Structure formats: structure tokens, C-alpha cells
């Protein structure tokens, strides 16, 4: 993956350090190719396909960062990609996926289920399904972010990662616990999509009936099987933040760091700014996981905050 | 200055390269301390004061990046700073200047002239006046950006810098012409504040009667004496861009680069995107000079664009 995946910078802010009483660095995945960490997993997964699988192509279901990441990785590797997206999805996100050269398959969310549409397509056309998180190659790809953190930040006592399906958290915690065994890894979820926190408490994978958060990349209603097995062993804790705290973290990134961070990407920083997680003097790394947000949506969120 | 001034990163975008038909890098001064290149000049100027001048303090007139940069540099060097600002100025910018610990002196733009207020204060209290651009130590400080460009980008055939009073253009062109003699340096002005372009054509410093642009950091109505003498010798050309082009460059930075760039900071990129300057295959560096813009103002600009 080296030379293809960007080694994104660590950002710092003296204001943030003073506010948290600790040295804090922010891993800036908005600067990753495709605008989020998702490219790491997608590129790793696709680069490990065999010649026959490459020739037949891949399919993914996602209207967001996973769809864009699979489309971009496929285009770099010369693989045909089909991305299943809701007919009601954002035109800007669709345009990004099409811009990477992927074939778009629209489905009607009222009458179809995206996973079934994708499975059917995979069978009909012998495409390889690229799942968004519950896949060891995806998890390993996301884990390269944790390897970079250990190399770039050196000594760390605390690492904060967002949790949707849990692929990033599983990859990063695996890398961090191996390379920096003294560091705590804490996952952060939106309060309205806290499936992993509930699942950890229950000791088994719990599915939420409804999900309600502005963090559109973290709306998974149930942890993955594989991701949950890793996260239950390696995460030190999972905490939640509400939508207002997410908006304030986005505003902090805009005004202080000059970085565009999407709602899902600001969730771990929100936990630090609200005090849901306290650094307690530990050198801390916070993952800013992505920056794909339409300027008008961004403005509307900040105006209501 | 090393260890105090941030060595800001060069950003790249495959989309931008494809659109311009050249390798383009963007020098990201929104990540500079204080959010703009102005900290380079202010810190250099203040660090060269003698012990008596330091003890007595400094005064600057600016409601924008120069005021913030002087306040921040003074606070780091333990120097008392007074910043003269319009009573009608943006509360957010005032708060930033006060946040760095400077003393604020408000003036009424309807009845007072800010330069006169500052000169009077300087005389009364034996403060050293820190002018925004027409000062060799300020120009030399801004020139460190050009030194970094030469070190980071290596071979360059074209460098684009914004022009307000001309301090950054003078410093950068001095550094670039010394270190990369083959590179053209082109200044870019807002069409509604094209005092340097008109002055170069006239062969003498021309003062504009009115200035009209969203690029609030480039509203100088006349080039500086010292900056003009440098820029007339070293700049290969000066071109202009209109406000709509500036907004489109800000949008490109937001959606593609995930960097917050203020109107003044996006002016050189606007020249490249509109074709006012053509790369013609030359490796090109574009200065993104600052990122201090209120989220609501940013949203309003993009919404009207």
C-alpha cells in the first residue's frame, strides 16, 4: 500500500492542548485519497484479489465513503466496480463515485434492500462483493492508520477512534495494542447509533431498531461479527457523543485547524472536547476520519449548532 | 524563526494536476500559526527589536491577519502589543486578537484614520509601530515562505502569490529568484483592488480611489514604497481575478483539498483555475496564504457563488 495510500499528517493545536491539559495530535484522514480512511481498507482488499477476481470485477453497496473508496481503488487497479446506491442519495456523492469511473446501480430504498441488490448482482455477474467493514482485509487496511500513528506520534497513552461497523476501530486497536501496548484505545459512537456500546454491555451483538445521528458514516445498526470479536477484546472503553457536540467539534476543526471534517469524522474529537473522555495528561491521538461533506450541508449543520 | 514558525505542508491534488496539465503544489499557510503567512513577518520583525523597544511595546493597526499575527508574536516574545481596530469590525476577529493577549484600541472609521490613531499612540507611549507590509523585516519574514517552497518543491517553473500591499510577493519573489532562478513569479490581485497591476503599468505607485473585493486581506489601495521597488524588479507579471473566481477557488479547497481558505488566500489558485495564468506544463507552486474566515461568512460566500 505504500506509495499509494497517503501517509496523512498529524495536526496539533496549542489551544487544544491547553484545553485538554495534554499533548494532543489529530490524524488527518480528510487528506487521505478519496477524502477518508476508507481508501486504506478498500485498496488493501482489492489489491489482494486474484487475477480471475480482478478480471470479473467487484461490487459494493454504499452511497458514502466506502463506495467512493472502492471506486477509486478499483480505478487505480484497473478493476471494474459496480456501486449500489439509493436512488434518493445525494447527487454530489453519486457524482464523486461516478467521477472515479465506477458503474452506478440505483435501488429504491422503499422497496429494495441494498445488500440483497448487491448480492444478486454479485451472483449474476460473478462479481466479488466488497463489504464495508466485516472483512479481515478491510480491517487490516484500516489498521495501517494505527501503524502510522505509532510511527509518527511515538509515545501515546490514549487513542480515540470512531465506531460505525467497527472496521477502523478493530484495525487501529490491533495495530496500537501491538506497537504501543501502554496506550488505551477508546471507541466513540454517536449517541443515536450506539450499537457497539450496547453490544459490549450485553456481551453479544445487539441490533438497534432505529438509528438517529447526523454522523451518516456511523449509522450501522449492528457491529460486524468479525469486528466485534476484535473490538470486545481490544477496546478499553466505548463512549458516546450527541449531535450538538459533533457540530462543535466540526466548528473547532474549521475555525482552529482549518480542516474540513465531516460529522462522522469529528466524533472522537467531540468526545475529548465535551469531556466524555479525559486525557488526564496522557499524550493523546484523535482520529479525524474523513472530510467528505457538501459545503451547503456543512453550513446548515453549523448554523443550527 | 525555526522551531517557532511552522513549516507548512505542500498539498497536492490529482484532480488539479489533470485540470492544469502540470504538477501543482499548494503551500498551505492556513496551517501557519495564527492561521496565515502574516505570522512569519510579524515574528521576524518583533524578534529583531532591541531590549528597550521590547520593554516599551508595539502597536499595529489591522482588524485582520496582521493584527492577529502581531498579537500572537508579541505574546510569544513577552512584548506588550496594542492593536488598533475599527469599532465596527467583526467580533470574531477581535476576539482572536484579544485571545492572544493584546490590548485593543477601537477607533471610529467615520471620524478617525487608523494609521493616525496608531501613530499618535506610538508617540504618546513610545511604542514601536509594526507596519503591515512596507518594512524590510516584515518582507524578509514573509520571504521564508519562498525559502521553504524552494526546499520542499525542488524544481519549480512557476510560483503564484497574492498581492495586497505587496510584502508577501516581495519576500517570496526575492527568495525564489535567488534559489530557483528559472522560475517565473506571478502576482495575483483581486480585480477590484488592482493597485499593483496599475502601478506597474504606470511605472509608479498609483493609488486607487475605491477598492471593492471580497478578499478583505488584499484591500490595499496603493503598493508600499519598499514593496513596489522589489516587486517591479522581480515579478514576471501581475494578473487579476474576480470575486466569483475567488469563491470557486475557496469551494475547490473545501471540497477537494478539505482545507479552509479565506477569500484572500484563494486568489492565486483562482488565477490558475480560471486560466488567467496557464501552467503550460511547468511545475507550479500556488500560495494558499491564509484560512481565517468565519464559518457563517464562508457559507454566505459559497451560497451566493
Amino acid at each position: 500500500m505504500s506509495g499509494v495510500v497517503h501517509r496523512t499528517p498529524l495536526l496539533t493545536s496549542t489551544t487544544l492542548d491547553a484545553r485538554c491539559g495534554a499533548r494532543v495530535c489529530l490524524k488527518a484522514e480528510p487528506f487521505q485519497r478519496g477524502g477518508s480512511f476508507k481508501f486504506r481498507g478498500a485498496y488493501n482488499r482489492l489489491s489482494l484479489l486474484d487475477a480471475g477476481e480482478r478480471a470479473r470485477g467487484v461490487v459494493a453497496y454504499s452511497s458514502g465513503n466506502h463506495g467512493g473508496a472502492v471506486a477509486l481503488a478499483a480505478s487505480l487497479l484497473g478493476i471494474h466496480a459496480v456501486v449500489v446506491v439509493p436512488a434518493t442519495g445525494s447527487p454530489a456523492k453519486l457524482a464523486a463515485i461516478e467521477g472515479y469511473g465506477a458503474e452506478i446501480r440505483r435501488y429504491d430504498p422503499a422497496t429494495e434492500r441494498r445488500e440483497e441488490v448487491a448480492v444478486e448482482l454479485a451472483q449474476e455477474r460473478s462479481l466479488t462483493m466488497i463489504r464495508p467493514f466485516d472483512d479481515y482485509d478491510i480491517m487490516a487496511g484500516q489498521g495501517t492508520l494505527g501503524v502510522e500513528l505509532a510511527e509518527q506520534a511515538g509515545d501515546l497513552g490514549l487513542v480515540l477512534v470512531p465506531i460505525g461497523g467497527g472496521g477502523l476501530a478493530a484495525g487501529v486497536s490491533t495495530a496500537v495494542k501491538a506497537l504501543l501496548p501502554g496506550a488505551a484505545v477508546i471507541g466513540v459512537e454517536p449517541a443515536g447509533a450506539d450499537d457497539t456500546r450496547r453490544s459490549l454491555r450485553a456481551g453479544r451483538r445487539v441490533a438497534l431498531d432505529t438509528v438517529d445521528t447526523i454522523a451518516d458514516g456511523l449509522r450501522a445498526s449492528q457491529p460486524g461479527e468479525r469486528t466485534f470479536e476484535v473490538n470486545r477484546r481490544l477496546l478499553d472503553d466505548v463512549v458516546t457523543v450527541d449531535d450538538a457536540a459533533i457540530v462543535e467539534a466540526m466548528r473547532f476543526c474549521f475555525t482552529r485547524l482549518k480542516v474540513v471534517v465531516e460529522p462522522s469524522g469529528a466524533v472522537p474529537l467531540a468526545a475529548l472536547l465535551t469531556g466524555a473522555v479525559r486525557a488526564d495528561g496522557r499524550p493523546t491521538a484523535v482520529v479525524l476520519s474523513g472530510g467528505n461533506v457538501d459545503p451547503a450541508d456543512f453550513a446548515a449543520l453549523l448554523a443550527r449548532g
Side-chain angles (χ1 to χ4, degrees), chain A:
Chain A
M1 290 167 64
S2 106
V4 179
V5 169
H6 285 175
R7 188 181 173 87
T8 54
L10 293 188
L11 309 178
T12 59
S13 155
T14 49
T15 306
L16 185 60
D17 288 1
R19 191 157 157 183
C20 300
R23 186 167 56 77
V24 180
C25 62
L26 302 119
K27 181 70 169 162
E29 290 291 290
F31 303 144
Q32 187 52 261
R33 294 181 84 154
S36 89
F37 76 94
K38 287 283 189 183
F39 179 69
R40 297 173 182 271
Y43 189 83
N44 190 53
R45 177 74 172 87
L46 266 62
S47 67
L48 294 170
L49 294 175
D50 67 30
E53 290 167 327
R54 287 191 186 215
R56 290 190 297 275
V58 299
V59 59
Y61 49 88
S62 159
S63 57
N65 288 335
H66 177 61
V70 168
L72 174 56
S75 120
L76 293 171
L77 291 163
I79 297 171
H80 183 75
V82 185
V83 181
V84 177
V85 303
T88 52
S90 135
K93 289 187 175 174
L94 266 187
I97 294 171
E98 277 186 308
Y100 294 128
E103 176 187 340
I104 298 286
R105 165 68 164 83
R106 287 180 178 73
Y107 73 95
D108 176 0
T111 59
E112 296 178 290
R113 286 178 48 116
R114 64 181 189 173
E115 191 164 355
E116 286 166 11
V117 173
V119 166
E120 200 171 302
L121 261 173
Q123 288 169 347
E124 271 172 23
R125 293 168 55 177
S126 301
L127 305 171
T128 301
M129 172 82 89
I130 309 297
R131 297 187 184 278
F133 50 82
D134 208 22
D135 176 309
Y136 291 117
D137 293 336
I138 294 280
M139 289 151 71
Q142 320 304 28
T144 61
L145 188 153
V147 175
E148 288 176 22
L149 260 188
E151 290 170 355
Q152 294 172 303
D155 183 40
L156 283 175
L158 176 63
V159 176
L160 299 184
V161 289
I163 303 191
L168 179 65
V172 168
S173 60
T174 300
V176 168
K177 293 292 180 178
L179 300 170
L180 302 170
V185 180
I186 297 183
V188 188
E189 289 187 306
D194 61 341
D195 51 301
T196 295
R197 189 177 60 152
R198 288 173 192 256
S199 297
L200 287 173
R201 286 188 181 170
R204 61 181 174 77
R205 293 163 60 228
V206 169
L208 303 178
D209 292 333
T210 58
V211 162
D212 179 17
T213 172
I214 59 170
D216 52 345
L218 305 179
R219 288 187 186 139
S221 58
Q222 187 175 30
E225 271 186 57
R226 294 168 184 79
T227 55
F228 187 64
E229 281 309 307
V230 175
N231 287 330
R232 74 192 304 177
R233 282 188 296 110
L234 297 184
L235 291 183
D236 293 271
D237 199 2
V238 173
V239 302
T240 63
V241 292
D242 65 21
D243 282 355
I246 296 171
V247 169
E248 284 318 300
M250 293 169 69
R251 190 190 310 279
F252 185 93
C253 291
F254 185 103
T255 59
R256 296 286 180 166
L257 304 175
K258 319 301 179 187
V259 179
V260 178
V261 180
E262 64 186 275
S264 305
V267 161
L269 178 59
L272 200 60
L273 292 176
T274 57
V277 176
R278 293 184 188 283
D280 288 329
R282 292 171 287 185
T284 298
V286 176
V287 178
L288 302 176
S289 60
N292 291 324
V293 52
D294 183 77
D297 295 341
F298 189 94
L301 286 169
L302 262 63
R304 94 179 190 183

